[in-house]
Amino acid sequence: MSAERRPGRCLYLLGPREVVLRVVELGPPGPGELLVAIDAATTCGTDVKVYRRGGHPRMLTVPTPFGHELAGTVTATGPGAEEWPPGCRVVVANSASCGRCRYCRADRENLCPELVYLNGAFADAILVPAPFVRRSLYRVPEGLPPERAALAEPLACVLHGIELCRPGEREDALVLGGGPIGLLFVATLAAGGHRVTLADPNPPRLAVGRAMGAAQAVEIRDRTRGAREAREAAADELGFTLAVDATGSVSGWATVIDAVRPGGVVSLFGGCAPGTTLPLDTHRVHYSELTLIGPYHHRPPNFASALDLLASERLAVAPLLSARRPLAETREALESMIRRETLKVVIDPAAG
Protein backbone atom coordinates (compact mmCIF):
# COMPACT_ATOMS: atom_id res chain seq x y z
CA MET A 1 0.00 0.00 0.00
CA SER A 2 1.47 3.36 -1.03
CA ALA A 3 1.63 6.39 1.20
CA GLU A 4 -1.20 7.95 -0.80
CA ARG A 5 -3.53 4.96 -0.52
CA ARG A 6 -4.86 4.17 2.93
CA PRO A 7 -7.97 2.87 4.68
CA GLY A 8 -10.34 5.31 6.33
CA ARG A 9 -13.77 5.38 7.88
CA CYS A 10 -16.81 6.88 6.15
CA LEU A 11 -20.42 7.04 7.33
CA TYR A 12 -22.93 5.77 4.75
CA LEU A 13 -26.64 6.55 4.67
CA LEU A 14 -28.58 3.42 3.72
CA GLY A 15 -32.19 4.45 4.30
CA PRO A 16 -34.52 6.16 6.79
CA ARG A 17 -32.63 6.40 10.10
CA GLU A 18 -30.18 3.78 8.90
CA VAL A 19 -26.46 4.58 8.75
CA VAL A 20 -23.34 2.44 8.91
CA LEU A 21 -19.67 3.28 9.41
CA ARG A 22 -17.59 1.57 6.72
CA VAL A 23 -13.88 1.29 6.15
CA VAL A 24 -13.06 2.42 2.61
CA GLU A 25 -9.85 2.90 0.62
CA LEU A 26 -8.84 6.54 0.26
CA GLY A 27 -6.78 7.98 -2.57
CA PRO A 28 -4.66 8.49 -4.42
CA PRO A 29 -6.15 11.65 -5.97
CA GLY A 30 -6.47 11.67 -9.75
CA PRO A 31 -6.00 14.60 -12.14
CA GLY A 32 -7.28 17.82 -10.58
CA GLU A 33 -8.33 16.06 -7.37
CA LEU A 34 -7.33 16.43 -3.72
CA LEU A 35 -7.36 14.15 -0.72
CA VAL A 36 -8.46 16.11 2.33
CA ALA A 37 -8.26 14.88 5.92
CA ILE A 38 -11.35 16.11 7.73
CA ASP A 39 -10.53 18.20 10.80
CA ALA A 40 -14.16 18.87 11.72
CA ALA A 41 -17.61 18.29 10.28
CA THR A 42 -20.86 19.70 11.58
CA THR A 43 -24.37 18.29 11.55
CA CYS A 44 -27.28 20.35 10.28
CA GLY A 45 -31.04 20.38 9.91
CA THR A 46 -30.78 19.14 6.32
CA ASP A 47 -28.78 16.15 7.57
CA VAL A 48 -31.58 15.41 10.03
CA LYS A 49 -34.26 15.64 7.30
CA VAL A 50 -32.25 13.41 4.99
CA TYR A 51 -31.52 10.95 7.81
CA ARG A 52 -35.19 10.71 8.74
CA ARG A 53 -36.46 10.47 5.15
CA GLY A 54 -33.65 8.25 3.91
CA GLY A 55 -32.71 10.45 0.97
CA HIS A 56 -32.95 13.83 -0.72
CA PRO A 57 -34.62 14.67 -4.07
CA ARG A 58 -31.52 16.48 -5.33
CA MET A 59 -28.45 16.03 -3.20
CA LEU A 60 -28.04 12.28 -2.83
CA THR A 61 -29.35 8.80 -3.52
CA VAL A 62 -28.80 5.98 -1.05
CA PRO A 63 -26.58 4.17 -0.36
CA THR A 64 -24.22 7.14 -0.18
CA PRO A 65 -21.51 8.78 1.93
CA PHE A 66 -23.19 11.20 4.30
CA GLY A 67 -22.60 14.74 5.58
CA HIS A 68 -21.72 17.95 3.75
CA GLU A 69 -20.36 20.60 6.16
CA LEU A 70 -16.60 20.20 6.61
CA ALA A 71 -13.22 21.78 7.04
CA GLY A 72 -9.98 19.88 6.60
CA THR A 73 -6.35 19.74 5.58
CA VAL A 74 -4.98 18.70 2.18
CA THR A 75 -2.89 15.53 2.49
CA ALA A 76 -2.32 14.61 -1.17
CA THR A 77 -2.55 16.52 -4.45
CA GLY A 78 -3.40 15.12 -7.87
CA PRO A 79 -1.78 16.29 -11.12
CA GLY A 80 -3.00 19.77 -12.03
CA ALA A 81 -4.04 20.73 -8.49
CA GLU A 82 -0.61 21.76 -7.22
CA GLU A 83 -1.85 25.19 -6.09
CA TRP A 84 -3.37 23.33 -3.09
CA PRO A 85 -0.27 21.76 -1.51
CA PRO A 86 -0.37 19.29 1.38
CA GLY A 87 -0.86 21.10 4.67
CA CYS A 88 -3.22 23.67 3.17
CA ARG A 89 -6.33 24.15 5.35
CA VAL A 90 -9.49 24.22 3.23
CA VAL A 91 -13.26 24.29 3.25
CA VAL A 92 -15.14 22.53 0.45
CA ALA A 93 -18.53 23.82 -0.64
CA ASN A 94 -20.98 20.96 -1.12
CA SER A 95 -21.90 21.82 -4.71
CA ALA A 96 -20.19 22.74 -7.96
CA SER A 97 -21.80 24.37 -10.99
CA CYS A 98 -20.76 23.98 -14.62
CA GLY A 99 -19.74 27.63 -15.10
CA ARG A 100 -21.02 27.64 -18.70
CA CYS A 101 -24.83 27.59 -18.75
CA ARG A 102 -27.15 30.59 -18.87
CA TYR A 103 -27.67 30.45 -15.10
CA CYS A 104 -23.96 30.40 -14.30
CA ARG A 105 -23.36 33.26 -16.75
CA ALA A 106 -26.14 35.21 -15.02
CA ASP A 107 -24.56 34.69 -11.57
CA ARG A 108 -27.24 32.21 -10.54
CA GLU A 109 -24.99 29.20 -10.12
CA ASN A 110 -27.31 27.63 -7.54
CA LEU A 111 -29.84 27.03 -10.35
CA CYS A 112 -27.33 25.40 -12.70
CA PRO A 113 -28.99 22.35 -14.31
CA GLU A 114 -25.67 20.50 -14.07
CA LEU A 115 -25.12 21.32 -10.38
CA VAL A 116 -23.41 18.38 -8.66
CA TYR A 117 -23.21 17.75 -4.93
CA LEU A 118 -20.50 16.44 -2.64
CA ASN A 119 -21.31 14.23 0.33
CA GLY A 120 -19.05 12.38 2.73
CA ALA A 121 -18.15 14.90 5.44
CA PHE A 122 -18.71 12.33 8.20
CA ALA A 123 -15.45 10.53 7.52
CA ASP A 124 -11.73 10.50 8.24
CA ALA A 125 -10.99 11.98 4.82
CA ILE A 126 -12.68 12.84 1.56
CA LEU A 127 -11.53 12.70 -2.04
CA VAL A 128 -12.47 16.07 -3.56
CA PRO A 129 -13.36 15.72 -7.29
CA ALA A 130 -11.82 18.06 -9.83
CA PRO A 131 -14.97 20.22 -10.42
CA PHE A 132 -15.06 21.06 -6.70
CA VAL A 133 -11.35 21.84 -6.63
CA ARG A 134 -11.82 24.23 -9.57
CA ARG A 135 -14.99 25.99 -8.40
CA SER A 136 -15.82 25.18 -4.79
CA LEU A 137 -12.65 25.10 -2.69
CA TYR A 138 -11.63 27.86 -0.27
CA ARG A 139 -8.66 28.43 2.00
CA VAL A 140 -9.50 28.68 5.68
CA PRO A 141 -8.63 32.17 6.97
CA GLU A 142 -5.76 32.26 9.42
CA GLY A 143 -6.88 31.65 12.99
CA LEU A 144 -10.34 30.34 12.11
CA PRO A 145 -10.95 27.04 13.96
CA PRO A 146 -12.15 24.15 11.77
CA GLU A 147 -15.50 23.77 13.52
CA ARG A 148 -16.31 27.42 12.82
CA ALA A 149 -14.98 27.17 9.27
CA ALA A 150 -17.36 24.24 8.65
CA LEU A 151 -20.26 26.63 9.32
CA ALA A 152 -19.47 28.41 6.04
CA GLU A 153 -21.91 26.21 4.10
CA PRO A 154 -25.07 26.91 6.14
CA LEU A 155 -24.08 30.54 6.57
CA ALA A 156 -23.62 30.87 2.79
CA CYS A 157 -27.20 29.64 2.35
CA VAL A 158 -28.40 32.25 4.84
CA LEU A 159 -26.45 35.02 3.12
CA HIS A 160 -27.99 34.04 -0.22
CA GLY A 161 -31.45 34.09 1.38
CA ILE A 162 -30.89 37.55 2.83
CA GLU A 163 -29.40 38.81 -0.44
CA LEU A 164 -32.58 37.89 -2.32
CA CYS A 165 -34.70 39.76 0.25
CA ARG A 166 -32.84 42.99 -0.54
CA PRO A 167 -33.33 44.34 3.00
CA GLY A 168 -33.44 48.07 3.65
CA GLU A 169 -31.43 49.94 6.25
CA ARG A 170 -33.35 48.66 9.29
CA GLU A 171 -35.97 45.97 8.82
CA ASP A 172 -38.40 44.76 11.44
CA ALA A 173 -37.77 41.08 10.81
CA LEU A 174 -39.41 37.88 11.98
CA VAL A 175 -37.54 34.57 11.91
CA LEU A 176 -39.81 31.58 12.41
CA GLY A 177 -37.94 28.51 13.63
CA GLY A 178 -35.12 28.35 16.17
CA GLY A 179 -33.08 25.57 14.59
CA PRO A 180 -29.49 26.15 13.40
CA ILE A 181 -30.53 27.90 10.15
CA GLY A 182 -33.08 30.10 11.89
CA LEU A 183 -30.50 31.08 14.49
CA LEU A 184 -27.97 31.93 11.77
CA PHE A 185 -30.63 34.18 10.20
CA VAL A 186 -31.09 35.83 13.61
CA ALA A 187 -27.36 36.42 14.07
CA THR A 188 -26.77 37.68 10.53
CA LEU A 189 -29.78 40.01 10.41
CA ALA A 190 -28.98 41.36 13.89
CA ALA A 191 -25.34 41.96 12.89
CA GLY A 192 -26.70 43.91 9.89
CA GLY A 193 -28.52 46.31 12.22
CA HIS A 194 -32.03 44.90 11.84
CA ARG A 195 -34.56 44.38 14.64
CA VAL A 196 -35.11 40.63 14.81
CA THR A 197 -37.87 38.66 16.50
CA LEU A 198 -37.39 34.90 16.82
CA ALA A 199 -40.50 32.73 17.14
CA ASP A 200 -40.32 29.06 18.16
CA PRO A 201 -42.16 26.69 20.52
CA ASN A 202 -38.94 25.69 22.30
CA PRO A 203 -37.91 28.05 25.17
CA PRO A 204 -34.25 26.91 25.29
CA ARG A 205 -33.88 27.74 21.60
CA LEU A 206 -35.44 31.13 22.18
CA ALA A 207 -32.81 31.77 24.86
CA VAL A 208 -30.07 30.90 22.37
CA GLY A 209 -31.71 33.26 19.88
CA ARG A 210 -31.47 36.11 22.35
CA ALA A 211 -27.80 35.30 22.92
CA MET A 212 -27.27 35.44 19.16
CA GLY A 213 -28.87 38.86 18.76
CA ALA A 214 -32.67 38.55 18.74
CA ALA A 215 -34.34 41.66 20.14
CA GLN A 216 -37.41 39.61 21.04
CA ALA A 217 -38.27 35.94 21.48
CA VAL A 218 -41.83 34.69 21.08
CA GLU A 219 -42.92 31.26 22.26
CA ILE A 220 -45.40 29.87 19.74
CA ARG A 221 -47.88 27.82 21.74
CA ASP A 222 -50.48 27.13 19.06
CA ARG A 223 -49.62 26.59 15.38
CA THR A 224 -53.07 27.77 14.30
CA ARG A 225 -52.46 31.10 16.09
CA GLY A 226 -48.76 31.31 15.29
CA ALA A 227 -49.03 34.28 12.93
CA ARG A 228 -51.10 36.24 15.43
CA GLU A 229 -48.75 35.45 18.31
CA ALA A 230 -45.75 36.49 16.26
CA ARG A 231 -47.38 39.58 14.72
CA GLU A 232 -48.15 40.96 18.17
CA ALA A 233 -44.38 41.34 18.67
CA ALA A 234 -43.94 43.47 15.55
CA ALA A 235 -43.08 47.14 15.92
CA ASP A 236 -46.15 47.98 13.80
CA GLU A 237 -49.55 46.43 14.49
CA LEU A 238 -49.86 45.64 10.78
CA GLY A 239 -46.96 43.20 10.98
CA PHE A 240 -43.30 42.78 10.07
CA THR A 241 -41.53 44.24 7.05
CA LEU A 242 -39.63 40.98 6.52
CA ALA A 243 -40.44 37.42 7.60
CA VAL A 244 -38.34 34.28 7.13
CA ASP A 245 -39.57 30.72 7.47
CA ALA A 246 -36.85 28.41 8.76
CA THR A 247 -39.13 25.50 9.68
CA GLY A 248 -39.63 23.87 6.28
CA SER A 249 -43.30 23.22 7.04
CA VAL A 250 -46.52 24.25 5.31
CA SER A 251 -47.79 25.76 8.57
CA GLY A 252 -44.56 27.75 8.84
CA TRP A 253 -44.95 29.11 5.32
CA ALA A 254 -48.53 30.14 6.09
CA THR A 255 -47.43 31.81 9.33
CA VAL A 256 -44.77 34.05 7.79
CA ILE A 257 -47.05 35.09 4.93
CA ASP A 258 -49.70 36.12 7.45
CA ALA A 259 -47.17 37.91 9.69
CA VAL A 260 -46.02 40.65 7.28
CA ARG A 261 -47.54 44.07 6.75
CA PRO A 262 -48.58 45.40 3.30
CA GLY A 263 -45.51 45.73 1.10
CA GLY A 264 -43.69 43.11 3.17
CA VAL A 265 -41.16 40.57 1.96
CA VAL A 266 -41.58 36.87 2.77
CA SER A 267 -38.68 34.45 2.50
CA LEU A 268 -39.92 30.85 2.17
CA PHE A 269 -36.48 29.54 3.01
CA GLY A 270 -37.31 26.24 4.69
CA GLY A 271 -37.85 23.52 2.09
CA CYS A 272 -41.05 21.51 2.56
CA ALA A 273 -41.41 17.82 1.79
CA PRO A 274 -41.94 16.96 -1.91
CA GLY A 275 -45.59 16.98 -2.98
CA THR A 276 -46.84 19.41 -0.33
CA THR A 277 -49.05 22.36 -1.28
CA LEU A 278 -50.04 25.61 0.40
CA PRO A 279 -53.46 27.32 0.30
CA LEU A 280 -52.82 30.98 -0.54
CA ASP A 281 -54.94 34.08 0.08
CA THR A 282 -54.44 35.48 -3.41
CA HIS A 283 -56.41 38.64 -2.59
CA ARG A 284 -54.04 39.56 0.23
CA VAL A 285 -50.87 38.71 -1.70
CA HIS A 286 -52.02 40.84 -4.63
CA TYR A 287 -53.64 43.85 -2.95
CA SER A 288 -51.07 44.05 -0.15
CA GLU A 289 -48.29 43.79 -2.73
CA LEU A 290 -46.40 41.10 -0.89
CA THR A 291 -43.13 39.76 -2.24
CA LEU A 292 -42.72 36.00 -1.86
CA ILE A 293 -39.31 34.49 -2.56
CA GLY A 294 -38.04 30.91 -2.35
CA PRO A 295 -34.25 31.01 -1.82
CA TYR A 296 -32.34 27.83 -2.58
CA HIS A 297 -28.80 26.88 -1.62
CA HIS A 298 -25.90 29.32 -2.15
CA ARG A 299 -23.58 30.85 -4.73
CA PRO A 300 -19.75 31.07 -4.72
CA PRO A 301 -19.70 34.73 -3.59
CA ASN A 302 -21.97 33.81 -0.65
CA PHE A 303 -19.52 31.10 0.42
CA ALA A 304 -16.53 33.44 0.27
CA SER A 305 -18.46 36.09 2.23
CA ALA A 306 -19.47 33.51 4.83
CA LEU A 307 -15.85 32.58 5.50
CA ASP A 308 -14.86 36.25 5.81
CA LEU A 309 -17.76 36.88 8.20
CA LEU A 310 -16.87 33.88 10.36
CA ALA A 311 -13.24 34.99 10.50
CA SER A 312 -14.28 38.51 11.53
CA GLU A 313 -16.06 37.11 14.63
CA ARG A 314 -18.90 39.58 14.09
CA LEU A 315 -21.41 36.75 14.42
CA ALA A 316 -22.19 35.09 17.74
CA VAL A 317 -22.12 31.53 16.39
CA ALA A 318 -20.56 29.75 19.38
CA PRO A 319 -23.97 28.87 20.92
CA LEU A 320 -24.80 26.83 17.80
CA LEU A 321 -22.02 24.31 18.41
CA SER A 322 -23.67 22.69 21.39
CA ALA A 323 -21.86 19.32 21.46
CA ARG A 324 -18.85 17.43 20.11
CA ARG A 325 -18.79 13.72 19.30
CA PRO A 326 -16.39 11.27 17.67
CA LEU A 327 -17.12 9.96 14.19
CA ALA A 328 -18.43 6.64 15.53
CA GLU A 329 -21.21 8.52 17.38
CA THR A 330 -22.64 10.43 14.41
CA ARG A 331 -25.92 8.50 14.59
CA GLU A 332 -26.29 9.52 18.25
CA ALA A 333 -25.54 13.13 17.26
CA LEU A 334 -28.38 13.11 14.71
CA GLU A 335 -30.78 11.47 17.15
CA SER A 336 -29.93 14.10 19.78
CA MET A 337 -30.88 16.78 17.25
CA ILE A 338 -34.20 15.04 16.60
CA ARG A 339 -34.85 15.08 20.37
CA ARG A 340 -33.95 18.80 20.33
CA GLU A 341 -31.19 18.23 22.86
CA THR A 342 -28.57 19.80 20.61
CA LEU A 343 -28.45 22.38 17.81
CA LYS A 344 -25.35 21.50 15.80
CA VAL A 345 -22.88 18.79 16.73
CA VAL A 346 -19.19 18.94 15.83
CA ILE A 347 -18.08 15.54 14.50
CA ASP A 348 -14.39 15.09 15.26
CA PRO A 349 -12.78 12.14 13.39
CA ALA A 350 -9.67 12.41 15.58
CA ALA A 351 -11.65 11.85 18.78
CA GLY A 352 -12.53 8.44 20.19
Side-chain angles (χ1 to χ4, degrees):
M1 182 179 297
S2 72
E4 290 186 344
R5 189 177 291 275
R6 68 205 73 172
R9 299 167 300 165
C10 180
L11 191 76
Y12 274 72
L13 178 70
L14 304 182
R17 269 178 146 147
E18 186 180 3
V19 292
V20 63
L21 193 60
R22 294 176 175 173
V23 175
V24 298
E25 195 172 76
L26 299 171
E33 297 180 340
L34 298 175
L35 186 62
V36 174
I38 294 172
D39 298 324
T42 48
T43 61
C44 77
T46 299
D47 292 330
V48 170
K49 284 198 299 185
V50 172
Y51 171 69
R52 296 176 79 164
R53 297 173 184 173
H56 189 281
R58 287 194 177 188
M59 293 184 181
L60 52 83
T61 302
V62 296
T64 179
F66 196 27
H68 63 276
E69 299 178 7
L70 68 95
T73 302
V74 176
T75 59
T77 301
E82 289 81 6
E83 65 178 293
W84 304 94
C88 184
R89 296 176 62 231
V90 297
V91 175
V92 189
N94 67 322
S95 66
S97 58
C98 73
R100 304 179 304 274
C101 70
R102 68 176 66 182
Y103 292 104
C104 289
R105 295 197 305 270
D107 298 328
R108 304 190 73 181
E109 296 92 340
N110 58 311
L111 300 181
C112 172
E114 297 181 34
L115 197 68
V116 290
Y117 298 92
L118 183 66
N119 295 286
F122 302 142
D124 288 316
I126 188 169
L127 190 66
V128 182
F132 291 85
V133 175
R134 289 195 304 269
R135 299 185 60 79
S136 304
L137 198 68
Y138 303 83
R139 281 180 167 81
V140 175
E142 187 70 29
L144 183 62
E147 60 268 25
R148 285 177 63 98
L151 295 176
E153 195 280 332
L155 181 56
C157 294
V158 167
L159 292 178
H160 176 63
I162 293 174
E163 178 182 62
L164 291 187
C165 290
R166 299 181 180 179
E169 185 173 331
R170 182 173 169 80
E171 300 287 354
D172 186 21
L174 168 69
V175 175
L176 181 67
I181 285 290
L183 291 168
L184 280 174
F185 266 105
V186 168
T188 307
L189 287 167
H194 305 292
R195 177 184 181 271
V196 186
T197 297
L198 174 65
D200 190 271
N202 189 308
R205 293 192 170 192
L206 295 175
V208 174
R210 285 189 176 277
M212 293 181 69
Q216 294 187 102
V218 177
E219 183 179 352
I220 299 294
R221 298 182 179 86
D222 183 349
R223 283 191 175 190
T224 62
R225 297 185 64 253
R228 185 181 304 172
E229 291 176 340
R231 193 165 54 237
E232 289 172 354
D236 188 302
E237 63 181 11
L238 294 177
F240 295 90
T241 60
L242 169 64
V244 178
D245 172 71
T247 70
S249 66
V250 173
S251 63
W253 282 29
T255 294
V256 291
I257 292 172
D258 289 344
V260 293
R261 70 182 74 169
V265 176
V266 177
S267 175
L268 304 172
F269 185 91
C272 298
T276 54
T277 58
L278 173 71
L280 192 64
D281 183 344
T282 56
H283 185 277
R284 181 168 184 271
V285 170
H286 179 73
Y287 288 100
S288 294
E289 217 171 66
L290 303 185
T291 300
L292 310 183
I293 59 173
Y296 172 66
H297 205 47
H298 52 69
R299 299 176 47 243
N302 305 133
F303 211 97
S305 296
L307 272 175
D308 290 342
L309 194 53
L310 289 165
S312 74
E313 298 189 353
R314 288 176 53 208
L315 296 187
V317 297
L320 282 181
L321 303 175
S322 50
R324 180 182 290 266
R325 285 181 178 266
L327 178 59
E329 296 180 9
T330 306
R331 180 202 299 271
E332 289 79 2
L334 296 168
E335 292 287 347
S336 72
M337 291 178 68
I338 291 173
R339 294 191 298 269
R340 294 180 179 267
E341 296 170 352
T342 54
L343 287 164
K344 292 181 79 71
V345 181
V346 179
I347 303 300
D348 184 354

